[in-house]
Amino acid sequence: MTACHVDADLLITIDADLQDDPKSIIEMVDKYHAGYDVVYGVRNNRESDTFFKRASANLFYKLMNKLGVNIIPNHADFRLIDRRVLKQLLQFPERNLFLRGMLPLVGFSSTKVFYKRRARQAGKSKYPLHKMLLLAWDGITSFSEVPIRSIIVFGFLLVFLSAFYVLYGLIRWATGHTETGWTSLMVSIWLLGGIQLIVIGIVGEYIGKIFKEVKRRPRFIIQDDLYTKPKPPRIKNSDSSSNV
């Protein structure tokens, strides 16, 4: 990708197992000539997958959507991208790449081409369950700060519940249904546990900001610059005697 963007007008990526339909490339190129900069190859069904893989994939797409990550459902790595999209994509210097989330983030006009994925003819998948889980985790941690912020929410929830537990403990103590030290111990565990989670969450907020800064992603991407006008060429005066 880093080498071909200099000479190529467009780039098409496809998995080596050829389960994705190569004939769809013709339709992708037609979409490109129609004015689209990104064309996603999307599976029209998941009949070739097991029930577990279909269920886990649907759960993953729903979870990413809830976390605010914009990805194309049932799209893997079969896509067409224009040279200027690739040029902008190479401006992302991060090492932990999750291309399925980065391409929609770059923007530009896009569309989809639907195709039927073939069953595997030979060999085994290079993406077993543990690799798919790692890919999902990379996608979540690369684009969302919700897991960090959820710690603060959980901490405040524990502090809120500890207030009710104080009342419950006092009632149990007043009615003589507790052992010595039980009330203070349980209240302290709930209250201090909630406070600790809040503090950890606050630290996590700062880490999340550092996380964004070190990625050094472009703050914005201009698709078409209609404001900046090329400067006219300077005309050099060949008569040096007329210069003052």
Side-chain angles (χ1 to χ4, degrees):
M1 291 177 65
T2 56
C4 70
H5 82 281
V6 179
D7 302 313
D9 293 325
L10 56 91
L11 173 73
I12 297 175
T13 58
I14 186 172
D15 289 339
D17 55 17
L18 296 182
Q19 285 186 270
D20 301 321
D21 187 8
K23 295 180 180 179
S24 299
I25 294 177
I26 299 175
E27 188 177 355
M28 286 182 169
V29 175
D30 291 339
K31 294 289 186 181
Y32 166 76
H33 287 298
Y36 292 100
D37 299 300
V38 182
V39 183
Y40 299 103
V42 180
R43 300 170 60 175
N44 56 12
N45 62 71
R46 304 187 70 97
E47 295 176 354
S48 59
D49 293 341
T50 62
F51 171 79
F52 174 78
K53 191 169 184 179
R54 288 197 302 269
S56 60
N58 291 330
L59 178 62
F60 170 70
Y61 292 126
K62 291 180 180 179
L63 177 62
M64 296 296 281
N65 184 48
K66 292 292 184 182
L67 294 177
V69 184
N70 182 23
I71 60 175
I72 309 299
N74 296 323
H75 163 69
D77 295 308
F78 187 28
R79 64 179 73 92
L80 178 150
I81 55 178
D82 179 64
R83 177 197 293 177
R84 14 176 233 168
V85 178
L86 179 57
K87 184 178 179 181
Q88 294 297 334
L89 189 63
L90 294 175
Q91 299 301 313
F92 289 68
E94 55 203 81
R95 298 293 183 268
N96 189 18
L97 299 177
F98 185 68
L99 291 176
R100 300 184 192 185
M102 292 176 67
L103 268 172
L105 184 65
V106 171
F108 291 87
S109 59
S110 63
T111 188
K112 303 173 184 176
V113 167
F114 295 91
Y115 67 95
K116 183 177 181 180
R117 199 176 197 206
R118 305 172 181 177
R120 183 178 295 276
Q121 299 298 319
K124 295 182 179 180
S125 173
K126 300 299 188 295
Y127 258 82
L129 178 61
H130 73 278
K131 283 192 175 182
M132 289 191 293
L133 292 175
L134 288 176
L135 177 66
W137 184 245
D138 283 342
I140 293 172
T141 55
S142 295
F143 283 86
S144 179
E145 298 177 1
V146 174
I148 293 177
R149 292 179 176 172
S150 62
I151 297 176
I152 295 182
V153 175
F154 190 58
F156 276 108
L157 179 63
L158 280 183
V159 172
F160 181 73
L161 291 176
S162 67
F164 286 94
Y165 209 87
V166 169
L167 180 61
Y168 172 76
L170 290 176
I171 294 174
R172 297 282 295 180
W173 172 78
T175 55
H177 291 86
T178 60
E179 297 292 336
T180 302
W182 178 86
T183 303
S184 59
L185 177 63
M186 295 306 295
V187 170
S188 299
I189 291 175
W190 280 71
L191 181 61
L192 291 177
I195 293 174
Q196 287 176 347
L197 286 178
I198 292 174
V199 173
I200 292 173
I202 294 174
V203 175
E205 281 290 323
Y206 286 95
I207 295 176
K209 295 184 185 302
I210 297 172
F211 171 75
K212 281 186 174 182
E213 290 293 334
V214 297
K215 283 182 176 293
R216 302 190 66 82
R217 290 176 176 173
R219 287 183 292 177
F220 55 84
I221 293 173
I222 300 175
Q223 178 173 333
D224 297 301
D225 188 355
L226 303 178
Y227 177 78
T228 305
K229 298 179 181 179
K231 296 181 179 180
R234 294 183 59 185
I235 301 176
K236 295 183 179 180
N237 193 342
S238 58
D239 187 4
S240 58
S241 61
S242 62
N243 293 331
V244 179

